[in-house]
Amino acid sequence: QFVSLRQRILSAVQKNATRGDPRSVIRAIDQFCSQKEWAMNVGNEKGCILDSVVSEVNPATVLELGTYCGYSTVRIASLLPPYAKFITLEFNPDFAAVARQVIAWAGLEDKVQLVEGASSDWIPKIKEQFGIKTFDLVFLDHWKEHYLSDTKLMEECGLLRKGSVLLADNVICPGAPDYVEYVRSSPRYKSHYFRSHLEYTKAEENLWYLGIIE
Ligand SMILES: CNc1ncnc2c1ncn2[C@@H]1O[C@H](/C=C/CNC(=O)c2cc(-c3ccc(F)cc3)cc(O)c2O)[C@@H](O)[C@H]1O
Ligand SMILES: [Mg+2]
């Protein structure tokens, strides 16, 4: 019967990756998506940039918007210090179910809190529900038309401080023009972008790095 792409990604992990080995989980998904079927994981080229930002920020608190199959969740969680708190939001129950199994296969289920629900519902509740004051790092990779509204919501909820870093995928493709416009014209943000390519393709893409300076 029909097997969804997310199920085929999970099967590729369970077949080709070693339990408890995050790098083998990442490699299995990248091999599947470059050799068999494209999927919207951040991919290895942008993933290496993500790794370097996570390592540099060395965050005690991380928020990811849009878990999808958990590829970037595994990349981030595998680099966090033991005391770190990492929350990832996913409102599609089917993707959340696959992501939970991918994260568990990597042996990282104790490092990540996958919350099933919409960013706009959960961002206002994070402080009291998870005892988090502000986020050191936020990775935006959910619906592109929600990057701006959710960034403003995080500001309003006092979840961002001087020094917080926001990293946004896909500012070129599919694109988040209102978001780029807002952060570029705001004195609160120092922004720059990392040139890269759309996952598993040769198309131009950027990861948009935002440092909050005030
Ligand atoms: C709005 N609030 C939300 N709260 C919680 N989860 C949310 C969410 N919005 C979306 N999600 C979830 O995030 C994920 C959505 C990601 C959207 N990403 C894209 O559209 C995307 C799309 C492309 C893409 C690029 C080129 C192309 F030809 C086709 C697609 C590449 C990417 O890297 C992408 O990230 C899903 O798992 C969805 O259920
Ligand atoms: Mg993306």
Side-chain angles (χ1 to χ4, degrees):
Q1 95 289 6
F2 172 71
V3 180
S4 61
L5 173 58
R6 62 182 179 269
Q7 270 302 329
R8 287 199 291 277
I9 289 172
L10 176 58
S11 307
V13 166
Q14 293 168 334
K15 183 163 161 276
N16 305 314
T18 310
R19 268 189 179 285
D21 175 358
R23 298 312 305 175
S24 74
V25 168
I26 296 306
R27 194 169 42 251
I29 296 174
D30 283 332
Q31 277 171 356
F32 177 82
C33 292
S34 36
Q35 291 159 16
K36 300 277 187 344
E37 277 182 87
W38 189 91
M40 61 182 177
N41 318 112
V42 75
N44 196 47
E45 189 181 336
K46 289 188 283 176
C48 288
I49 298 168
L50 173 62
D51 293 352
S52 60
V53 171
V54 174
S55 304
E56 188 187 316
V57 175
N58 196 36
T61 53
V62 187
L63 175 64
E64 175 180 61
L65 300 178
T67 315
Y68 187 43
C69 293
Y71 174 92
S72 50
T73 320
V74 167
R75 283 197 91 114
I76 294 167
S78 65
L79 296 172
L80 294 180
Y83 51 80
K85 281 190 175 177
F86 179 14
I87 295 172
T88 182
L89 300 181
E90 174 52 60
F91 64 10
N92 178 309
D94 299 325
F95 291 146
V98 163
R100 284 191 204 288
Q101 295 174 81
V102 167
I103 292 161
W105 199 270
L108 294 168
E109 62 278 13
D110 298 338
K111 309 274 289 188
V112 193
Q113 193 125 18
L114 196 165
V115 176
E116 226 173 291
S119 51
S120 49
D121 296 340
W122 274 95
I123 285 172
K125 293 193 281 194
I126 282 175
K127 275 186 188 273
E128 88 234 314
Q129 294 281 332
F130 301 102
I132 284 176
K133 291 189 183 56
T134 56
F135 283 107
D136 300 331
L137 176 66
V138 181
F139 180 53
L140 296 93
D141 196 19
H142 60 330
W143 280 350
K144 313 312 161 191
E145 55 275 13
H146 289 258
Y147 280 21
L148 180 52
S149 52
D150 282 343
T151 298
K152 286 181 173 171
L153 186 57
M154 286 188 284
E155 289 178 346
E156 285 151 27
C157 297
L159 286 167
L160 304 177
R161 60 166 174 76
K162 189 170 179 307
S164 294
V165 170
L166 308 184
L167 195 62
D169 191 23
N170 311 112
V171 290
I172 291 187
C173 177
D178 58 344
Y179 181 70
V180 170
E181 179 49 42
Y182 172 77
V183 295
R184 276 190 124 149
S185 53
S186 161
R188 287 202 69 200
Y189 297 98
K190 174 175 61 71
S191 64
H192 70 258
Y193 58 83
F194 296 91
R195 292 168 51 97
S196 184
H197 296 92
L198 175 66
E199 52 265 27
Y200 318 116
T201 77
K202 295 197 175 6
E204 272 282 301
E205 179 54 277
N206 294 336
L207 269 185
W208 193 264
Y209 176 103
L210 279 178
I212 299 193
I213 51 176
E214 58 187 58

